[in-house]
Amino acid sequence: MRAFLGLFAGLLVAFAFTGIASADPTRSIELRADVVDYYSDRFVVTADGHVRAQLSDGTVVSGDTFSMDLKQNRYLIAGGVHLDGPHVHETGAAFAGFADLDRNYLLTADPVPDRWTYFGLDFATPHKGRQQPGDAFNFADVAGLRPYVIADRATIFLRNNLVFPAGARLNQYGVYIPTPGYVITFSANPNFYQNGFQGAVFDIAEPFAASSNSLSAAHLRYDQTRGFYTAFDEHLVHNADYAVFSIDPVTQNDRQTNLILYKRVSPALEVRTFTQLETLSQGFAQPQDASAFTNVVVNARAGRYALSLDANQYYDYLLAPPPGAFATPGENGYGHPVDVTLNVQSFQDEFRLFRYLGVPLKFQYRGGYGYNYDGLGLLTTEGTTFGNVLYTTIWKSYLGLTAFTNPVHLTKLTSLSAKADKFEEWYSLPHHTVTTDVSATLARTPPSAKLPAFLVTYDVLNIGDFYGAAQLQAYVPTADTVTNQFGTFTGLAAFDGFATSRSVSGSIVYAPVPGFTLNLTVQHFDVTPRPVPGLGGSAPWQVTADVRVRLNKLVQVDLTRSYFFNFANMTWSPQFGIQFSP
Amino acid sequence: MIKRLAVLLLALAFAIAPARAQTPPAAPSPPPALEQYTGQLLDFRNNYAYFTTGDAFAVVDAPRVVDFATGVPTTVNPGPRIYARVTFDPATKKIIEFAISKTRIPVPREIRFAGGFAVAASTPVPASELQGGTALSGRQVTVEFEVSVPPTTSFTDSIYLASDYSDWNPTAIKLDRVDAYRYRAQRTFASGTKFAYRVTRGTWNSVERGEDGLDAPPHQFFVREVDVLAARVTVYHWSDESAQNAGANPNALPTPYNPSPFGGGPGGIRVPQVPTPAPIVHH
């Protein structure tokens, strides 16, 4: 019994001392001060007056002023510093935390100045006189900058988020706007930015809550269909894994609820799912319409092959179907179709013989097997049946090969490259498709970006959908002539599932001075069958100009506009593409 | 004879005496020159002034504090963030005067500072984690980004870099195509900058993937203390590219009345725009 109690007491003491000597750096800093400022241009937080910074182990560092470079992950507290924690009570002139080095540095003040170093949060054991970085106590330089956020407290989750409480003010062009809370995400982990929304023309995010692993944001968005609307998303991130939940829009009846889950199971295996529920309902009332979709992708590496299992499940209609919904065979508006495809793709490889000939030729091949099912019938070109046969299941398989050369230098600055891709797919509904794409590119690439770079590409793309004897059953000839407001066009009946596109594309990139880039692209398409204005197809001639001008160190304007040479009465693209970026 | 000799000696003595009186006295040894040091203060307490170099210097009991610009005494206290040019008494190695300013004070070359005045209780001990580092000045370094894309990338696709310095905006830095597969752009960064970046085609749904088709971690880049740097990246796959259509995309054919035989046609797979599919059509 005594031995047991002795062992128990020993374990307690061991655990207690384990708690004392935590060598990990702090995970967060709870910051309070008379004024807390955030400078977005430099990713710097400063605080002045009665500064109190609480580290994640409860240790409190107080002083007169605080400065932290969020990107460099280092901070400084200076002026009348007090370091108080469960196992430390020291005074000093300055305290610097270097999380990436897992070191904290203290300049002691009483009775004689000294340099002390702490390993992580182990404040019980100062390492006196240990060498410190030469710039350990430098203040982040924010001279001449205006703060973007002003508050009196903030929580810094190191390496990820900076959270301001309600009442924090945003400085927008000199106007201070109070917020219900604001979050700055400065993480080097891009998974905080995974998108759970549809595209929108315009999106302003108001991130209002966060932790070291989460981020909540409200959005004000705009698109041409919905107008202005609000949305919400929640991000949960842990290293490579993430989850994104979103509701888009929140304030309109036609609502999408999305969930993305990603798990990196091992270095060679990942799983990703996307689920969307779309409902038409007022608030939380019974939906008038509901549908859903789930996509599951499993990617894996096996030797020098990339494997991918891609499955889609559609719930076209989730409510009770109306009477007689299934009366017509092939009616699939209420179905729940599913498809699964296993894809295998090789890594890039090389025909070594061609390297010896001076023309390095690389190749990559792929293949796969897929399954389609809809109990109510799969769609065909004829509608819900093909040849009066209802197909609920269709299997398919495919093979593809891409071969390409590295740029082969004809002269010092001029290179020629070529590529070819062949892709063939077979279905259990008797037909197969063939796609062939061949192109060659001639480029003149000067070593300096200040000199113009030229590029011209010739591309031939053939696609064919082969039904054999049933060709015209699949592609029923349409009326040969179409007359619309752009004129009369003939030859439409010629299309029977086979098409060819020959295109020439050229571009010039010119950046004579830093801060200015001109990119001019010209394309000509010769397509059989011809595109018909008003009916569809791309313009035979297109010119696109892209001009980028740097206005200052932080702002670059990107102007893009295209010209279509009066195809379907189109001249210039309707609007400039304007983008401001850092 | 003896008398003559005595008079001569006396006259000689008188002759010499005024001459000796006119010789200036030997110059006294000059007082030691004052030492000065310029920097930014961390704190001033317990008769020690602490600078951002981490050095602490002893201060006399009542130092003179003047405004650096005017030279007149000021009531502003030397404290954190204040810039100061301090003057030492070399004899005591203590600061006798602070000339302070709220803006940076230039450090003139002629200022003497022999060093050795800093006070520290402990003997310096080397820190292994700090060995071998290179001093970084923050100079502007040109970085040329060069990205090689998969051969199946469309001619008209725009290629961008997204980085943690641009809040992972997927269209932050646009690159220009310079040959069949290569795109490039130039930017300048301060030396010492460390950033992460990924290559995109304009959205987070079309981001680069590794050669094994798996999600690739961001590229890490550190701006060293040199004039020019190159950052070269090869993209093997895009996240919105499936192996099935990794070659030519049939839907890209600019034919108006091609009924998209590979998508939604007989046995065709519907390809959703994951993760943001178009709205599902209502009944």
Side-chain angles (χ1 to χ4, degrees):
Chain A
M1 185 65 185
R2 281 182 186 172
F4 175 76
L5 287 176
L7 178 64
F8 183 70
L11 286 173
L12 276 182
V13 170
F15 279 121
F17 276 98
T18 304
I20 289 172
S22 168
D24 294 334
T26 186
R27 295 183 301 278
S28 64
I29 300 172
E30 295 270 357
L31 183 64
R32 292 186 181 192
D34 294 347
V35 179
V36 177
D37 291 330
Y38 171 67
Y39 295 86
S40 57
D41 297 343
R42 301 268 173 87
F43 295 96
V44 166
V45 181
T46 65
D48 291 291
H50 305 98
V51 171
R52 182 182 188 278
Q54 182 173 331
L55 311 183
S56 56
D57 70 337
T59 301
V60 173
V61 190
S62 55
D64 294 336
T65 186
F66 172 93
S67 164
M68 179 168 189
D69 187 317
L70 298 174
K71 287 294 186 187
Q72 295 191 11
N73 207 21
R74 50 182 279 191
Y75 59 95
L76 169 68
I77 299 171
V81 166
H82 289 259
L83 177 63
D84 296 296
H87 308 285
V88 62
H89 295 283
E90 295 291 345
T91 58
F95 177 91
F98 277 55
D100 289 348
L101 284 178
D102 199 14
R103 296 287 184 270
N104 291 304
Y105 303 109
L106 176 68
L107 289 181
T108 63
D110 192 21
V112 179
D114 202 4
R115 293 172 183 254
W116 291 5
T117 298
Y118 297 102
F119 290 3
L121 295 176
D122 179 9
F123 293 112
T125 315
H127 298 263
K128 299 180 179 179
R130 189 179 172 90
Q131 185 186 5
Q132 300 174 342
D135 62 349
F137 299 100
N138 279 7
F139 291 102
D141 186 6
V142 290
L145 300 179
R146 286 186 176 182
Y148 176 58
V149 185
I150 300 174
D152 60 1
R153 66 183 64 186
T155 303
I156 303 165
F157 295 99
L158 272 62
R159 297 192 180 95
N160 286 327
N161 292 315
L162 166 62
V163 182
F164 289 99
R169 289 162 291 157
L170 291 186
N171 178 359
Q172 295 286 357
Y173 305 106
V175 178
Y176 290 91
I177 304 168
T179 68
Y182 198 76
V183 178
I184 305 289
T185 299
F186 56 93
S187 179
N189 185 340
N191 292 331
F192 277 102
Y193 295 82
Q194 292 291 339
N195 179 25
F197 295 135
Q198 280 199 116
V201 175
F202 166 88
D203 185 316
I204 292 181
E206 216 289 335
F208 58 87
S211 71
S212 57
N213 298 104
S214 69
L215 176 65
S216 311
H219 294 254
L220 177 63
R221 294 164 63 82
Y222 174 84
D223 67 35
Q224 290 92 337
T225 308
R226 290 190 166 104
F228 281 101
Y229 59 95
T230 59
F232 166 80
D233 66 355
E234 174 75 25
H235 300 257
L236 302 171
V237 178
H238 178 69
N239 298 330
D241 305 336
Y242 60 87
V244 185
F245 170 76
S246 65
I247 302 177
D248 176 36
V250 172
T251 47
Q252 292 187 358
N253 293 340
D254 186 356
R255 190 171 300 119
Q256 292 180 351
T257 305
N258 305 302
L259 178 66
I260 301 172
L261 302 172
Y262 175 86
K263 174 68 182 171
R264 188 66 174 247
V265 181
S266 77
L269 180 67
E270 69 178 12
V271 180
R272 187 177 193 275
T273 71
F274 171 75
T275 302
Q276 181 180 77
L277 169 68
E278 179 158 18
T279 57
L280 183 64
S281 66
Q282 290 194 338
F284 293 103
Q286 169 80 29
Q288 300 161 17
D289 196 357
S291 53
F293 162 72
T294 293
N295 170 248
V296 179
V297 178
V298 180
N299 291 318
R301 180 179 66 235
R304 288 182 56 78
Y305 291 93
L307 308 181
S308 171
L309 184 69
D310 192 328
N312 297 295
Q313 171 75 63
Y314 301 84
Y315 305 92
D316 287 348
Y317 199 65
L318 287 172
L319 304 179
F326 304 107
T328 308
E331 172 60 69
N332 64 0
Y334 305 100
H336 293 175
V338 62
D339 61 69
V340 182
T341 307
L342 175 66
N343 306 291
V344 181
Q345 187 163 23
S346 75
F347 284 20
Q348 286 183 7
D349 216 330
E350 185 176 352
F351 293 111
R352 292 192 179 275
L353 173 64
F354 286 84
R355 179 188 286 191
Y356 302 131
L357 298 175
V359 186
L361 183 64
K362 294 184 176 179
F363 66 94
Q364 198 166 16
Y365 51 92
R366 59 194 185 277
Y369 199 72
Y371 165 78
N372 264 18
Y373 175 79
D374 187 344
L376 301 177
L378 291 160
L379 281 175
T380 73
T381 54
E382 279 197 333
T384 52
T385 60
F386 188 78
N388 292 324
V389 177
L390 181 71
Y391 285 87
T392 58
T393 302
I394 295 178
W395 297 86
K396 66 162 191 173
S397 57
Y398 71 84
L399 285 173
L401 173 69
T402 305
F404 60 99
T405 67
N406 279 345
V408 178
H409 283 276
L410 305 176
T411 67
K412 189 177 178 182
L413 302 181
T414 309
S415 65
L416 178 68
S417 49
K419 71 170 184 199
D421 183 88
K422 181 100 172 178
F423 178 76
E424 195 152 355
E425 195 162 20
W426 300 269
Y427 298 89
S428 59
L429 185 158
H431 79 124
H432 74 280
T433 58
V434 180
T435 305
T436 309
D437 188 10
V438 180
S439 69
T441 300
L442 187 66
R444 185 180 187 279
T445 312
S448 168
K450 293 180 178 178
L451 300 171
F454 300 94
L455 174 69
V456 62
T457 294
Y458 181 69
D459 184 275
V460 179
L461 172 64
N462 278 295
I463 66 169
D465 192 1
F466 296 84
Y467 276 83
Q471 193 72 35
L472 296 181
Q473 185 181 331
Y475 292 94
V476 179
T478 59
D480 192 61
T481 302
V482 167
T483 300
N484 59 23
Q485 70 270 34
F486 304 109
T488 298
F489 304 91
T490 60
L492 277 68
F495 178 65
D496 55 359
F498 304 97
T500 300
S501 166
R502 297 178 184 83
S503 64
V504 180
S505 306
S507 76
I508 175 172
V509 178
Y510 185 43
V513 292
F516 175 84
T517 304
L518 168 68
N519 191 328
L520 202 62
T521 303
V522 182
Q523 286 188 285
H524 172 62
F525 294 99
D526 181 6
V527 179
T528 304
R530 280 194 308 155
V532 176
L535 192 57
S538 296
W541 285 94
Q542 299 178 22
V543 174
T544 301
D546 179 7
V547 178
R548 271 162 279 151
V549 180
R550 179 159 292 284
L551 300 181
N552 58 43
K553 191 176 178 183
L554 298 173
V555 179
Q556 175 178 269
V557 180
D558 185 350
L559 293 172
T560 309
R561 206 168 190 192
S562 299
Y563 187 74
F564 298 103
F565 296 89
N566 291 316
F567 178 79
N569 287 348
M570 284 194 299
T571 53
W572 289 101
S573 56
Q575 57 195 19
F576 283 105
I578 303 177
Q579 184 177 353
F580 294 90
S581 61
Chain B
M1 181 62 187
I2 293 175
K3 283 184 179 177
R4 283 182 182 176
L5 186 59
V7 170
L8 185 62
L9 286 173
L10 192 60
L12 185 62
F14 274 102
I16 292 171
R20 288 183 66 179
Q22 289 172 358
T23 303
S29 59
L34 296 176
E35 299 261 2
Q36 288 188 319
Y37 176 78
T38 303
Q40 190 177 20
L41 282 166
L42 285 169
D43 203 3
F44 171 39
R45 62 181 51 249
N46 299 347
N47 280 28
Y48 289 102
Y50 297 81
F51 283 82
T52 54
T53 54
D55 291 325
F57 301 106
V59 184
V60 297
D61 284 339
R64 186 165 180 260
V65 180
V66 300
D67 181 82
F68 174 78
T70 62
V72 298
T74 176
T75 56
V76 176
N77 289 322
R81 294 186 186 275
I82 295 289
Y83 293 92
R85 177 170 296 163
V86 293
T87 305
F88 291 87
D89 175 355
T92 62
K93 296 187 175 180
K94 289 186 176 181
I95 295 172
I96 57 173
E97 182 185 271
F98 289 88
I100 62 175
S101 169
K102 290 185 177 177
T103 58
R104 189 181 297 275
I105 298 175
V107 183
R109 292 187 177 185
E110 63 269 20
I111 277 197
R112 295 183 57 201
F113 184 64
F117 292 2
V119 179
S122 303
T123 307
V125 177
S128 57
E129 69 271 19
L130 301 178
Q131 306 306 315
T134 306
L136 297 163
S137 67
R139 66 191 286 190
Q140 292 297 303
V141 178
T142 299
V143 179
E144 180 171 301
F145 296 95
E146 185 179 294
V147 174
S148 297
V149 300
T152 49
T153 305
S154 169
F155 180 86
T156 52
D157 279 352
S158 295
I159 306 296
Y160 302 87
L161 298 181
S163 89
D164 58 341
Y165 266 82
S166 56
D167 292 339
W168 292 109
N169 173 2
T171 59
I173 299 177
K174 192 172 186 177
L175 294 100
D176 296 301
R177 191 166 200 156
V178 293
D179 68 20
Y181 316 120
R182 287 186 303 161
Y183 290 72
R184 73 182 177 195
Q186 281 187 348
R187 287 289 187 278
T188 54
F189 297 88
S191 66
T193 304
K194 186 173 65 175
F195 60 90
Y197 68 99
R198 296 182 89 174
V199 184
T200 81
R201 287 191 2 264
T203 72
W204 278 115
N205 301 332
S206 53
V207 68
E208 64 172 312
R209 287 186 158 256
E211 189 169 17
D212 53 11
L214 278 74
D215 202 18
H219 308 281
Q220 304 290 333
F221 197 82
F222 180 73
V223 182
R224 290 180 282 117
E225 191 78 4
V226 294
D227 292 332
V228 180
L229 281 173
R232 294 192 172 89
V233 168
T234 298
V235 177
Y236 294 97
H237 297 289
W238 300 109
S239 59
D240 58 345
E241 149 214 303
S242 69
Q244 183 186 358
N245 60 11
N249 180 0
N251 296 321
L253 189 68
T255 305
Y257 29 81
N258 185 339
S260 188
F262 302 96
I269 298 289
R270 300 189 216 188
V271 183
Q273 298 300 306
V274 176
T276 54
I280 298 170
V281 177
H282 288 293
H283 304 279

